[in-house]
Amino acid sequence: PQEVQRAAQSKYSLLSLDALLRTAHDEGGPFAFVGLPCHVHGLRRLQRIDSYRAEFPIVIGLFCGFNLEPAATDHLIHKAGFAREQVAQLEYRGGPWPGGLVIQGHDGQRRFVPKHAYSYVNLMHVPRRCLACPDLTNELADLSVGDCWLEEYAGGWSTVICRSVQGERLLAETEQAGAVRMEDIGREAILRSHGHLLAYKKEGYFVRQSWLRVPLEYELLRPPIG
């Protein structure tokens, strides 16, 4: 539990799924899987061919507009007035919600860059895979979780979309245990909260797909074996 709490908050950088799958294979599980849409896309493809179903019986998906290449973090560190070797600790969403980049130096210096002030780096350092992704709300997860950008829920609420029987059961047990406070919201509220990003993902996808020449193919590809 302590490791899970220390791992909280967003980390805007790339992470390979391979190391996690290797750990699950070695230790056996079962585990709860928490990942971005691209991670969940890969896992669900494996589960379609009967891999990692027992290891990951519950999948929690995070909302994601786009991730950042590592160069984005170096850029933000530089803009905050630090050299990389001077940084002792970094939080991408530190401070009160919605938070911002908090950089702590070895000498005790601290810099804070509000989230909205550094959002411009997203499209300067966006990975190519993000441009080919039409999935904002992690549609293949059991539970999808993301920020709630509604004025009436300002201050740190999360939007949770329940997508499976397993997810519904987990959510009910969590509420009964007193671990979360929940209120029902409707589809229209989610569209108000995330309308601009849903348009970017769903409508803008077809423009990006034509630029990138990405085929509209979501079936499992079987490479020839030599």
Side-chain angles (χ1 to χ4, degrees):
Q2 292 80 11
E3 288 180 311
V4 173
Q5 289 176 354
R6 286 199 299 270
Q9 293 193 355
S10 300
K11 280 108 178 140
Y12 296 121
S13 192
L14 303 181
L15 174 69
S16 170
L17 185 62
D18 298 348
L20 180 62
L21 295 179
R22 197 174 304 119
T23 300
H25 183 270
D26 293 343
E27 298 186 14
F31 300 101
F33 181 97
V34 182
L36 300 176
C38 52
H39 297 143
V40 176
H41 297 166
L43 177 63
R44 291 308 198 200
R45 283 194 169 198
L46 289 170
Q47 290 181 332
R48 282 175 62 185
I49 56 172
D50 277 338
S51 294
Y52 295 100
R53 287 188 180 179
E55 289 89 344
F56 297 114
I58 188 79
V59 176
I60 299 171
L62 307 177
F63 289 16
C64 182
F66 18 67
N67 207 337
L68 296 173
E69 296 279 2
T73 300
D74 292 334
H75 172 78
L76 289 167
I77 290 171
H78 174 73
K79 292 292 284 184
F82 287 91
R84 184 167 179 164
E85 59 272 13
Q86 295 176 306
V87 176
Q89 185 177 357
L90 184 147
E91 295 176 89
Y92 290 94
R93 295 288 296 271
W97 188 88
L101 187 73
V102 178
I103 303 175
Q104 187 87 28
H106 290 289
D107 60 358
Q109 287 191 73
R110 187 177 182 276
R111 298 282 190 277
F112 176 79
V113 182
K115 182 181 186 304
H116 297 301
Y118 73 75
S119 290
Y120 71 90
V121 303
N122 284 332
L123 295 182
M124 293 169 58
H125 297 283
V126 62
R128 187 177 187 275
R129 171 62 172 80
C130 295
L131 296 176
C133 177
D135 188 357
L136 171 71
T137 61
N138 225 313
E139 297 168 21
L140 302 183
D142 296 299
L143 289 173
S144 301
V145 184
D147 284 313
C148 188
W149 298 101
L150 295 173
E151 187 175 343
E152 59 266 39
Y153 291 105
W157 285 78
S158 292
T159 300
V160 181
I161 304 174
C162 188
R163 302 187 184 275
S164 73
V165 173
Q166 299 97 307
E168 192 170 2
R169 185 184 306 119
L170 177 63
L171 203 59
E173 291 173 355
T174 306
E175 184 180 28
Q176 288 168 8
V180 297
R181 174 187 165 196
M182 296 199 300
E183 291 186 13
D184 288 336
I185 62 171
R187 179 177 181 272
E188 292 304 316
I190 294 176
L191 293 176
R192 276 195 297 122
S193 175
H194 296 88
H196 63 298
L197 278 176
L198 283 166
Y200 171 83
K201 282 286 190 177
K202 296 297 186 187
E203 298 170 18
Y205 168 76
F206 296 98
V207 177
R208 298 191 301 276
Q209 181 266 339
S210 64
W211 288 346
L212 297 168
R213 304 187 191 283
V214 177
L216 288 168
E217 174 61 74
Y218 289 97
E219 295 300 314
L220 185 67
L221 301 178
R222 299 183 182 274
I225 299 174

